[in-house]
């Protein structure tokens, strides 16, 4: 059975190599199975045909039946478009195409009757429909058989341009069903789970999601499909975690010894917050348990995660193991190294740096020191993953700003020792609980939910870009108090050149506006040594203003900086704005964040700006982000290599079902840790199949 559905999409009736390529590239559809799992996102009542006369503003997709009076190509260059007049005898609608004009021109006909599908909008007092779908109706009787609900499938612009519309997908899906004939689609959940959870069979669900007899069946169909999706992710993560517990014993760090104690009593530069203390206790407990630690430390920007990592590494050193900490940028690695040398040098801990720019003799001496064990703590970028980097005995590995690393990079740290070291991953991108459960599975999670005392909440304001004077005043008054200011410009890969020009132009203007101040510029294209020099001069207070791209986004800690001005704020996502804002407000003084945008803002951007001005709570921002963008786009998930492959479940909304699926998966894993029970056979083979084809959720930690 699975064989039929694993057939390449190319050979399906009506597809062929060109369409197959589009389906592969645009929607990730390779097989018939993939196509059946490309679910409609809504339905249109097919029996209902509106008249032009009936149309009203704000209507969603409608069907009309009529013909074209004529069409013409208008405009030049990017304004080129095809316009056509459509009528059904009760009125006229203007149809417009901006894209794929050649194809449209070739296919439009006058003198035939069309069944049109599109979304009408009122423009200059008449209805327009952009990029409608048109199907030629042979004769009126061909409408007779059409009843029920018509599925609407997501297709991309590129597909539409090639004529691969929702209607075309519908035909393909029907071709699969006719190829299946009476065969039913193989079930993926065992009977006992179907009845325990009151779920519909897969065959029914798949057929009905494409062709529901009425909208009332949709909730139970969706429930079944969502459950399956969420359940398998949870089964994946939880069974992987179980295997790990069975397979790996961790080093038992039974001692909390001299280094830790001396540091704690003599060298701590401040009193730890109670949240920091609690998290350190949790970590100590893990390290002493004899089980390999795999812990995620979440804490908002500025909550003091670095200190927790230092104390964790000290416990490793007390037990005669080495530690390392990996940071996503060179700037951050340098900063961590300097901090740790300053903190730990006095108690005789040797801390060294390894990044791509540490070369030659210096590099060799670091490599030697790692092998002979004389280096206790290695601070680095992903350069420390290289094969030439070998530890004598690595016991603790910390990953800072872990959302910046790929899955593969993180998993390579595991291999830096004969037994995997204890792992602490830290992130300031707070992700909502439901998402954390999905992404991190059985990682233990610690949260620092408290900022060091004396911090004043950052004041966030929104200025339009024309309001230069307001910005100048704020900068002047803060610099007069001896504070420093960041200006951040976006630098997005796709528009790198113009972005860089923007940055340089911004730098020139700022120099002109503040001729008496020292202004530095920083971007990723500079040589590492130059970057370092600029960063050093800012950290030392020599520079008053730093004009930078987002290279300073994560981790950078200059507590004297009190203003963060974000230019073109409309181009940043919420999580990124929050990270950037976190560069200020690190001292006891009042700090400010200024979001600078143009006048014209989309609804979504306006909302983002509002949220930023309303709250500094990272968790709230993450929740809002999830709502605004959907999980597929959530920062810290894409970068982390987690591609959200959910087809139907929506973790922003289906949190409760996720909990339930997780509970069921946990029961299965507990009852059947070695995958032996006959009633679960179907589950384990399905999981294996999915692991081959899908994101490996479980390996993400
Ligand atoms: P993040 O969690 O964003 O990595 P950092 O570890 O960089 O935060 O800490 C932010 C700043 O707060 C640093 O300057 C750090 O020295 C300071 N800090 C950390 N913990 C405390 C504390 N308990 N009391 C006072 N200041 C602290
Ligand atoms: Mg940090």
């Amino acid at each position: 059975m699975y064989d039929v559905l694993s057939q390449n999409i190319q050979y399906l009736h009506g597809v062929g190599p060109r369409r197959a390529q589009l389906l592969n590239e645009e929607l990730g559809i390779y097989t018939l199975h993939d196509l059946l799992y490309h679910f409609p996102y809504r339905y249109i009542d097919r029996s209902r045909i509106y008249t032009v006369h009936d149309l009203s503003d704000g209507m969603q997709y409608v069907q009309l039946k009529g013909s074209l009076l004529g069409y013409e190509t208008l405009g030049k260059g990017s304004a080129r478009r095809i316009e056509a007049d459509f009528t059904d005898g009760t009125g006229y609608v203007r149809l417009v195409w901006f894209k794929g004009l050649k194809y449209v021109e070739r296919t439009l006909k006058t003198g035939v009757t069309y069944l049109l599908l599109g979304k009408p909008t009122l423009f200059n007092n008449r209805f327009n429909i952009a990029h409608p779908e048109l199907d030629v109706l042979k004769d009126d009787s061909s409408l007779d058989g059409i009843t029920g609900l018509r599925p609407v499938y997501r297709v991309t612009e590129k597909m539409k341009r090639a004529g691969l519309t929702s209607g075309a997908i519908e035909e393909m899906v029907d071709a699969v069903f006719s190829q299946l004939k009476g065969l039913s689609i193989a079930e993926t959940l065992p009977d006992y789970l179907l009845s325990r959870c009151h779920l519909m069979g897969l065959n029914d669900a798949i057929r009905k999601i494409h062709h529901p007899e009425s909208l009332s069946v949709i909730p139970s169909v969706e429930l079944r499909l969502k459950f399956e999706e969420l359940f398998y992710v949870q089964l994946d993560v939880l069974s992987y975690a179980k295997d790990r517990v069975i397979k790996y014993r961790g080093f038992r760090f039974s001692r909390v010894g001299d280094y830790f104690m001396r540091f704690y009593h003599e060298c701590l530069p401040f009193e730890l917050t109670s949240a920091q203390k609690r998290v350190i206790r949790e970590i100590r407990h893990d390290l002493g348990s004899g089980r390999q630690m795999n812990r995620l430390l979440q804490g908002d920007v500025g909550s003091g995660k670095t200190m927790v990592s230092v104390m964790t590494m000290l416990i490793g050193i007390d037990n005669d193991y080495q530690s390392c900490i990996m940071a996503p940028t060179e700037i951050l690695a340098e900063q961590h190294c300097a901090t740790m040398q300053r903190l730990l040098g006095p108690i005789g801990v040797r801390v060294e740096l390894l990044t791509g720019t540490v070369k030659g003799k210096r590099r060799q001496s670091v490599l030697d020191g790692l092998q002979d064990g004389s280096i206790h703590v290695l601070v680095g970028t992903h350069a420390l993953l290289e094969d030439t980097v070998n530890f004598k005995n690595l016991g603790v590995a910390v990953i800072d700003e872990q959302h910046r690393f790929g899955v593969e990079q993180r998993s390579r740290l595991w291999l830096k020792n004969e037994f995997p070291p204890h792992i602490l991953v830290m992130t300031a991108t707070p992700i909502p609980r439901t998402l954390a459960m999905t992404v991190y599975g059985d990682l233990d999670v610690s949260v620092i939910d408290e900022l060091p005392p004396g911090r004043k909440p950052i004041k966030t304001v929104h200025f339009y870009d024309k309001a230069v004077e307001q910005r100048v005043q704020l900068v002047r008054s803060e610099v007069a108090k001896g504070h420093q200011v960041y200006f951040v410009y976006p630098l997005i890969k796709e528009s790198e050149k113009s972005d860089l020009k923007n940055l340089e132009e911004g730098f020139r203007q700022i120099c002109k506006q503040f001729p008496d101040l020292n202004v530095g510029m920083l971007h990723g294209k500079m040589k590492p040594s130059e970057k370092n020099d600029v960063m050093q001069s800012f950290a030392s207070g020599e520079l008053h203003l730093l004009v930078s791209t987002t290279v300073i986004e994560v981790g950078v800690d200059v507590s004297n900086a009190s203003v963060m001005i974000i230019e073109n704020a409309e181009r940043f996502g919420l999580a990124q704005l929050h990270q950037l804002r976190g560069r200020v407000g690190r001292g006891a003084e009042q700090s400010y964040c200024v979001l600078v945008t143009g006048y014209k803002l989309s609804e979504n951007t306006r909302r983002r700006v509002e949220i930023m001005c309303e709250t500094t709570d990272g968790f709230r921002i993450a929740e809002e982000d999830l709502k605004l963008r959907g999980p597929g786009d959530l920062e810290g998930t894409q970068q982390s290599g987690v591609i959200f492959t959910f087809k139907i479940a929506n973790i922003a909304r289906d949190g409760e079902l996720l909990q339930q699926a997780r509970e069921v998966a946990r029961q299965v894993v507990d009852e059947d840790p070695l995958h032996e029970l006959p009633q679960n056979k179907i589950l384990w083979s399905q999981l294996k199949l999915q692991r081959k084809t899908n994101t490996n959720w479980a390996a993400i930690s």
Side-chain angles (χ1 to χ4, degrees):
M1 174 62 239
Y2 194 81
D3 281 339
V4 181
L5 292 184
S6 62
Q7 187 189 310
N8 190 325
I9 192 78
Q10 180 178 339
Y11 306 113
L12 182 69
H13 181 72
V15 181
R18 211 176 54 90
R19 285 186 150 193
Q21 195 187 347
L22 272 175
L23 289 169
N24 296 169
E25 286 169 3
E26 298 294 295
L27 298 179
I29 295 175
Y30 293 88
T31 62
L32 303 190
H33 177 269
D34 296 341
L35 181 66
L36 288 188
Y37 273 81
H38 186 60
F39 302 133
Y41 64 95
R42 42 192 249 92
Y43 303 89
I44 290 164
D45 187 350
R46 205 168 174 173
S47 55
R48 171 113 197 226
I49 294 176
Y50 287 80
T51 62
V52 175
H53 182 77
D54 292 336
L55 296 183
S56 62
D57 201 16
M59 267 181 164
Q60 290 300 310
Y61 283 77
V62 295
Q63 292 191 117
L64 298 168
K65 196 184 86 177
S67 55
L68 299 181
L69 288 177
Y71 54 89
E72 57 186 335
T73 306
L74 302 166
K76 282 212 178 67
S78 61
R80 241 169 82 87
R81 63 195 185 277
I82 294 176
E83 294 195 359
D85 280 319
F86 177 93
T87 182
D88 63 354
T90 71
Y92 298 92
V93 175
R94 169 69 48 93
L95 310 183
V96 194
W97 289 266
F98 305 99
K99 287 180 171 153
L101 301 187
K102 274 205 191 108
Y103 174 83
V104 175
E105 224 161 15
R106 226 175 32 240
T107 50
L108 284 186
K109 293 189 199 86
T110 51
V112 297
T113 307
Y114 280 116
L115 186 63
L116 175 154
L117 174 66
K119 189 172 179 308
T121 48
L122 200 56
F123 184 70
N124 280 346
N125 261 334
R126 66 184 289 180
F127 282 101
N128 274 250
I129 298 182
H131 288 258
E133 253 181 58
L134 294 172
D135 285 319
V136 178
L137 280 177
K138 301 256 163 32
D139 54 65
D140 253 11
S141 65
S142 58
L143 263 181
D144 290 350
I146 302 180
T147 52
L149 299 164
R150 184 169 179 190
V152 185
Y153 297 94
R154 188 170 64 80
V155 290
T156 63
E157 266 314 311
K158 196 166 168 197
M159 292 171 67
K160 274 192 211 161
R161 261 178 271 159
L164 235 178
T165 56
S166 167
I169 303 259
E170 188 182 348
E171 281 170 23
M172 291 176 196
V173 169
D174 290 343
V176 177
F177 285 129
S178 52
Q179 195 164 329
L180 281 175
K181 301 214 185 65
L183 282 176
S184 60
I185 297 161
E187 185 51 63
T188 53
L189 292 171
D191 282 346
Y192 80 94
L193 282 188
L194 290 183
S195 56
R196 191 195 292 172
C197 307
H198 309 290
L199 298 171
M200 159 187 311
L202 182 65
N203 183 55
D204 262 0
I206 293 278
R207 288 175 188 267
K208 285 182 179 170
I209 190 111
H210 293 287
H211 291 299
E213 61 264 24
S214 80
L215 285 180
S216 64
V217 303
I218 295 297
S220 55
V221 168
E222 283 190 350
L223 179 72
R224 148 74 212 214
L225 295 169
K226 285 179 177 179
F227 181 89
E228 168 175 338
E229 199 166 38
L230 295 168
F231 172 78
Y232 273 106
V233 172
Q234 292 303 317
L235 189 67
D236 187 8
V237 190
L238 294 175
S239 67
Y240 184 87
K242 193 87 176 181
D243 289 351
R244 204 177 63 211
V245 173
I246 295 172
K247 242 193 328 228
Y248 299 122
R249 279 186 311 122
F251 314 112
R252 186 189 296 272
F253 288 178
S254 45
R255 258 185 301 170
V256 170
D258 284 355
Y259 285 116
F260 185 94
M261 285 307 176
R262 257 194 79 196
F263 181 76
Y264 190 82
H265 291 295
E266 294 168 24
C267 312
L268 263 184
F270 36 66
E271 170 86 8
L272 295 177
T273 63
S274 50
Q276 282 169 320
K277 284 185 194 157
R278 170 172 45 75
V279 169
I280 291 169
R281 263 201 309 276
E282 286 166 355
I283 291 171
R284 271 172 63 175
H285 176 80
D286 272 9
L287 297 182
S289 73
R291 192 168 71 90
Q292 185 222 1
M293 176 173 81
N294 212 9
R295 188 171 280 279
L296 170 72
L297 174 56
Q298 286 190 345
D300 214 343
V301 282
S303 61
K305 294 184 290 298
T306 315
M307 190 49 79
V308 172
S309 74
V310 167
M311 312 236 7
T312 305
M313 294 194 287
L314 285 176
I315 302 176
I317 301 168
D318 272 334
N319 288 272
D320 297 324
Y321 283 96
Q322 292 165 297
S323 302
C324 71
I325 175 165
M326 181 165 81
T329 64
E330 207 139 323
I331 291 178
L332 188 50
E334 303 241 7
Q335 180 191 292
H336 277 334
C337 185
T339 308
M340 289 177 194
Q341 281 175 341
R342 193 180 47 182
L343 288 171
L344 302 179
I347 55 168
V349 171
R350 182 170 168 208
V351 181
E352 294 289 346
L353 178 74
L354 190 74
T355 65
T357 45
V358 177
K359 293 212 174 86
K361 270 208 198 112
R362 240 181 93 205
R363 184 182 183 85
Q364 197 50 52
S365 106
V366 171
L367 294 180
D368 292 344
L370 287 175
Q371 286 217 301
D372 66 27
S374 62
I375 295 179
H376 300 102
V377 174
L378 182 67
V379 183
T381 54
H382 56 272
L384 61 77
L385 295 174
E386 283 165 24
D387 290 338
T388 50
V389 180
N390 292 304
F391 293 83
K392 181 172 176 220
N393 56 2
L394 180 65
V396 175
V398 181
I399 304 172
D400 195 15
E401 309 288 353
Q402 64 82 28
H403 56 283
R404 286 307 187 98
F405 289 100
V407 176
E408 203 242 351
Q409 286 171 317
R410 272 178 277 153
S411 59
R412 271 165 66 189
L413 263 187
W414 280 59
L415 306 174
K416 282 282 165 196
N417 205 62
E418 196 181 338
F419 292 103
H422 294 292
I423 305 253
L424 178 67
V425 299
M426 309 199 292
T427 183
T429 302
I431 59 176
R433 220 181 104 70
T434 47
L435 193 56
M437 253 162 57
T438 318
V439 182
Y440 301 112
D442 233 23
L443 262 192
D444 298 304
V445 179
S446 292
V447 181
I448 306 188
D449 49 7
E450 179 187 359
L451 293 179
R455 298 263 175 91
K456 291 201 180 70
I458 303 163
K459 279 199 180 121
T460 303
V461 290
H462 174 205
F463 287 169
Y464 289 112
D465 48 12
K466 294 273 172 351
V468 179
E469 206 36 51
Q470 274 176 301
R471 263 172 286 164
V472 171
Q473 268 177 20
L474 177 62
V475 172
R476 284 264 171 229
S477 81
E478 283 302 300
V479 171
K481 290 182 209 153
H483 297 161
Q484 293 162 279
V485 180
Y486 295 101
F487 290 81
V488 172
Y489 285 80
L491 197 155
I492 317 286
K493 263 223 176 71
E494 293 81 64
S495 45
E496 200 170 70
K497 269 204 182 128
S498 56
D499 279 352
L500 218 48
K501 246 171 73 190
N502 253 347
L503 173 81
E504 281 162 359
E505 178 55 35
F507 175 70
R508 268 194 296 278
Q509 271 180 13
I510 290 162
C511 290
K512 236 197 268 163
Q513 281 158 1
F514 305 99
D516 51 324
L517 302 184
N518 299 331
V519 191
M521 178 164 68
L522 191 65
H523 60 77
K525 286 270 132 82
M526 288 160 53
K527 282 207 207 96
S529 59
E530 290 171 351
K531 275 191 272 190
N532 199 30
D533 288 348
V534 174
M535 211 50 232
Q536 291 298 341
S537 346
F538 190 67
S540 71
E542 192 185 313
L543 292 175
H544 302 102
L545 314 180
L546 182 63
V547 182
S548 166
T549 60
T550 48
V551 287
I552 53 122
E553 179 183 339
V554 288
V556 171
D557 184 36
V558 177
S559 54
N560 191 46
S562 67
V563 185
M564 164 62 67
I565 298 183
I566 305 175
E567 302 281 346
N568 290 120
E570 56 267 65
R571 290 180 59 197
F572 295 97
L574 268 180
Q576 213 176 4
L577 290 173
H578 182 61
Q579 273 280 357
L580 283 169
R581 177 168 62 184
R583 296 311 110 220
V584 297
R586 308 191 137 235
E589 308 281 335
Q590 178 63 56
S591 294
Y592 303 87
C593 173
V594 181
L595 306 174
V596 182
T597 71
Y599 274 114
K600 258 190 155 168
L601 295 179
S602 71
E603 189 58 33
N604 197 302
T605 311
R606 198 165 284 287
R607 185 75 198 118
R608 285 207 301 276
V609 170
E610 270 170 28
I611 293 164
M612 287 298 293
C613 294
E614 255 168 54
T615 184
T616 51
D617 176 350
F619 278 91
R620 173 113 196 262
I621 288 173
E623 300 279 355
E624 297 287 347
D625 205 15
L626 193 60
K627 274 191 221 147
L628 278 178
R629 314 209 297 164
D633 254 347
L634 200 73
E635 245 161 294
T637 54
Q638 279 189 334
Q639 289 136 326
S640 67
V642 184
I643 302 142
F644 274 78
T645 47
F646 286 116
K647 296 201 180 339
I648 187 163
N650 174 331
I651 39 182
R653 274 184 253 125
D654 298 325
E656 212 171 301
L657 188 62
L658 173 65
Q659 287 276 13
Q660 197 193 332
R662 183 177 174 86
E663 237 358 270
V664 177
R666 190 186 291 286
Q667 280 168 19
V668 169
V669 169
D670 286 345
E671 283 165 18
D672 190 8
L674 301 174
H675 309 188
E676 292 166 332
L677 297 181
Q679 70 264 36
N680 288 334
K681 207 169 150 220
I682 200 175
L683 289 179
W684 303 120
S685 61
Q686 183 68 20
L687 181 63
K688 220 161 143 191
L689 199 75
Q690 292 202 356
R691 276 187 179 165
K692 252 194 285 182
T693 47
N694 291 353
T695 317
N696 186 355
W697 298 89
I700 283 160
S701 51

